[in-house]
Every structure is written in C-alpha cells, then in structure tokens.
Amino acid sequence: MDFLAGFDLNALLPFIAIGFAAQMIDGALGMAFGVISNTLMVGVLGIPPALASQRVHIVECFTTATSGVSHLIHGNIDKKLFFRLLLPGMAGGILGAYALTSVDASVVKPWVLLYLSGIGIYLLTRGILYPPKIKDAKHVAPLGLIGGFLDAAGGGGWGPVVTSNLLIQGADPRKVVGTVNTVEFFLTLTISATFIWQIGIADLAGATLGFLIGGVAAAPFGAWAAKHIPAKAMLIMVGIVLTLTSLYGAYSAFS
C-alpha cells in the first residue's frame, strides 16, 4: 500500500504508547486525550494550533466512537444528560473551530487553564474530605456550549471543562464520564467537518496515526475502568489529572 510505503514502525511506537495511555485516562476519567495529544503536537512537534486541533479531532472521531460504544455496553450513559449536552456542544464546537481559524486563541487559553487548575484542586479536595453526594446537574446546556467552543479553539478541553463542572454539581461520576465521552463523538465529527471546510484535510500519518492506533486500542479498557472505579476514587483521580495537565499547559502558555 502506498500509504504505508517507507513507514517506520519504531518511530511510531512512542506515539502509539502515548495515544494508548491518553485514551485510558480519557475513557476512565472523562478527560485528557485532546489535552495531551494537542500539547505534544504544538509544544513538541511544532505543529500550528489550528492544524494540531484538526488532527486531534480527526483521531478522536475514531477513539470516541469506540469509547462511546464501550460505555454504552457497560451502562455508563445517562440518556437525559446526553441529549442536554449534545446540541449545545456541537454548536460550541462549530463556533470554536471558526474562531481558531480566524483569530489567535492563545491569549485566552492560559486563563482557562488556570481556571481548570483551580477546579482540579477543588475536586481533589472534595474527593478526599467528603463522600460524594449524587444529584442532578442543573447548568448543562451553557456548559456544553462553552465546552464545545473551548475544545475546538484549544485543541482539547471538552472533557476537562464539562466533566469537571458536572462533577462539581454533584452528578454521578460514572454516568458523567460515560455520557461526556459519548457526546464527544458527535462533537468531534462536527469540529472535524468544520476544520476540513475551513483549512482542508490534513495528512493522517506519522504521530497522528500513532495516536489513532493507541487510542482506539485503549478505548474499551477505559470504559471498563469507569464502571469499576469507586466514585470517591474517581473524584480524586480526576482532580489530580485535571490539576497537573492544566498547570503544565498554563506554565507552557505563559512561558
């Protein structure tokens, strides 16, 4: 196959490993794949933000599809929450993709990351000190709109923004992770289509293909983990992952 001509598997293996690890975290905790992948593409590989975001979302079309089916099988999806997030998230994604291809979102991103760091610390403290009390989330549609916008504009952010804020409102952690991951499939399709319309199709090769292979392979395991991790432990792990990734992103953006 011409597509694989001269293909260096050894060079691809680190990206497969990163994609696998990122999707394991994302599938189990509802965040991190886009943030980790986008950070590597922009910060390490030097890919322009709009192109990096496009490639991340093309990969996520496959990883979120696999993850969504896996969460459905394990009963991790809240149907009511799913439909409350779906259309606002897609609308926000379209707006964010247009914004990233026309304006520089780097001015806002560091402050968003600092905000997410604060939420991460709050969730970590809440998980350690208090047993989680489950209740219905109230502010869902605006959250979906903002999460979709930041996900497209920042190359990742749907999970950190939406998952963390739903958990703050007291929603069931397992249902939040499963539902947010499943809605993300439709969000990534929308964002990818918008990017393709705006800047064309990026080559699916090299690091991008590595992320794709690793992410798809890990998706079923992440859904299984989300079902079996206790709610208290999930809050603590979400807090740790969100705090560390957001602080690192903010440090990189300000430096």
Side-chain angles (χ1 to χ4, degrees):
M1 295 174 63
D2 292 338
F3 178 72
L4 295 177
F7 198 68
D8 187 351
L9 180 59
N10 290 329
L12 195 65
L13 286 176
F15 296 104
I16 294 176
I18 293 169
F20 187 92
Q23 183 57 40
M24 272 292 293
I25 297 170
D26 193 286
L29 303 181
M31 63 183 68
F33 185 85
V35 173
I36 293 172
S37 301
N38 190 71
T39 299
L40 283 171
M41 287 191 184
V42 175
V44 178
L45 301 178
I47 297 173
L51 185 57
S53 184
Q54 181 198 34
R55 289 184 174 184
V56 167
H57 285 96
I58 288 175
V59 171
E60 285 186 324
C61 287
F62 297 89
T63 59
T64 55
T66 309
S67 181
V69 171
S70 301
H71 279 295
L72 181 63
I73 292 172
H74 287 287
N76 295 340
I77 298 174
D78 183 327
K79 293 181 181 179
K80 182 180 177 181
L81 181 61
F82 174 89
F83 287 108
R84 291 172 70 189
L85 282 172
L86 182 61
L87 292 181
M90 293 169 66
I94 293 173
L95 292 174
Y98 271 103
L100 186 58
T101 54
S102 57
V103 299
D104 183 8
S106 61
V107 177
V108 179
K109 186 176 180 180
W111 303 104
V112 174
L113 289 169
L114 286 177
Y115 162 73
L116 291 175
S117 301
I119 289 183
I121 294 171
Y122 172 80
L123 288 174
L124 177 59
T125 304
R126 181 170 176 260
I128 294 173
L129 299 180
Y130 303 98
K133 298 178 180 179
I134 307 302
K135 56 185 178 181
D136 291 334
K138 296 181 179 180
H139 309 291
V140 176
L143 184 58
L145 183 68
I146 295 171
F149 179 88
L150 292 175
D151 192 80
W158 170 256
V161 171
V162 179
T163 299
S164 61
N165 279 277
L166 288 174
L167 291 177
I168 283 179
Q169 295 183 55
D172 181 350
R174 179 171 70 91
K175 294 287 187 179
V176 165
V177 170
T179 305
V180 170
N181 268 269
T182 305
V183 173
E184 191 174 13
F185 167 66
F186 298 94
L187 174 67
T188 54
L189 282 179
T190 303
I191 293 173
S192 296
T194 306
F195 275 129
I196 290 171
W197 178 265
Q198 288 291 97
I199 60 178
I201 299 177
D203 294 332
L204 188 63
T208 312
L209 183 59
F211 290 134
L212 174 58
I213 295 171
V216 170
F221 298 102
W224 179 89
K227 182 178 181 179
H228 292 87
I229 296 174
K232 183 180 181 71
M234 188 174 288
L235 283 174
I236 293 173
M237 287 188 286
V238 168
I240 292 172
V241 171
L242 181 60
T243 302
L244 292 178
T245 55
S246 298
L247 284 176
Y248 176 77
Y251 170 78
S252 300
F254 279 116
S255 61

